[in-house]
Amino acid sequence: MIQALAFYLFAIVVIASAVMVIFSRNPVHSVLWLILAFFNAAGLMLIAGAEFIAMLLVIVYVGAVAVLFLFVVMMLNIDFAELRAGVVRYAAVGLALAVALAAEIIIAVSAWKVGGLELGRRIAATDDAVPNIEAVGQLLYSRYLFAFEAAGLILLVAMIGAIVLTYRHRPGVKPQNISAQINRRSKDAVKMVDAPVGKGVEL
């Protein structure tokens, strides 16, 4: 009973958070709704018996969202005074969301202790004696190998695109010359010498 209750609770919050990510006009609010969606998706993975994926969602994705939040603040020039005023104004709402998130965590842990849902076994049937991390590795590097590599390529393209979009030519700043660095000879390099006191350096 508690597994079904936790599943519907997390699923509803994930869908609602995803909708708010799209329809929020403030990009900061969109990122915060996205973080909430990630936490609830981690709860879904937890009650499905995939503890490793749940921890990856929290550690990797929420950490990546923090970097995304930094890029948004740097690129959009957000007014911090107005942002602080909004924090004070919506302090009660934030406290209520924090209490609700803590309650969801308690429900997820309780549902996980009772036992995972049968849904996880139907999606990827594995032996119960195999640990969770080992089962994920076997599926990723066997059945879903090409999808896993394609996801890595998409992330690589996204990283290169982010670098290209945020790169700005600044006057007075010397750009990096990669070919000159590669073709550098040892005699062109600066040699660090630990000179004894009072004896000077030979040129």
Side-chain angles (χ1 to χ4, degrees):
M1 179 62 183
I2 189 171
Q3 298 100 320
L5 176 64
F7 174 78
Y8 286 114
L9 174 64
F10 288 133
I12 291 172
V13 176
V14 165
I15 295 173
S17 301
V19 171
M20 292 304 297
V21 168
I22 299 172
F23 288 101
S24 294
R25 295 184 177 180
N26 192 328
V28 178
H29 295 169
S30 296
V31 172
L32 294 176
W33 284 114
L34 188 59
I35 292 174
L36 181 62
F38 283 146
F39 272 113
N40 285 273
L44 286 174
M45 295 295 104
L46 191 63
I47 63 176
E51 302 89 0
F52 179 66
I53 298 179
M55 293 303 104
L56 282 182
L57 278 172
V58 174
I59 296 172
V60 176
Y61 281 89
V62 175
V65 166
V67 177
L68 175 63
F69 177 80
L70 179 63
F71 272 101
V72 169
V73 172
M74 290 171 58
M75 294 176 63
L76 298 183
N77 195 15
I78 297 174
D79 188 3
F80 285 98
E82 183 180 354
L83 191 62
R84 294 190 188 96
V87 169
V88 176
R89 186 187 310 167
Y90 297 107
V93 178
L95 181 61
L97 287 175
V99 172
L101 186 59
E104 288 182 343
I105 292 173
I106 294 172
I107 293 174
V109 172
S110 301
W112 174 69
K113 289 182 178 178
V114 172
L117 292 175
E118 295 294 331
L119 180 63
R121 297 179 182 177
R122 289 199 299 267
I123 293 175
T126 56
D127 189 4
D128 293 335
V130 177
N132 185 259
I133 299 176
E134 184 178 347
V136 171
Q138 289 177 356
L139 288 173
L140 282 180
Y141 293 104
S142 59
R143 183 186 302 177
Y144 301 108
L145 177 62
F146 294 108
F148 183 66
E149 292 181 349
L153 288 175
I154 292 172
L155 291 175
L156 177 62
V157 171
M159 182 180 66
I160 296 173
I163 294 172
V164 172
L165 290 175
T166 55
Y167 178 77
R168 294 186 181 93
H169 178 69
R170 295 174 176 85
V173 178
K174 186 177 180 181
Q176 184 181 14
N177 192 342
I178 299 176
S179 62
Q181 293 178 357
I182 295 174
N183 297 323
R184 181 185 62 87
R185 295 172 296 179
S186 60
K187 65 178 184 179
D188 298 331
V190 178
K191 185 178 180 181
M192 304 296 294
V193 179
D194 187 9
V197 178
K199 291 187 178 181
V201 180
E202 294 181 1
L203 297 178

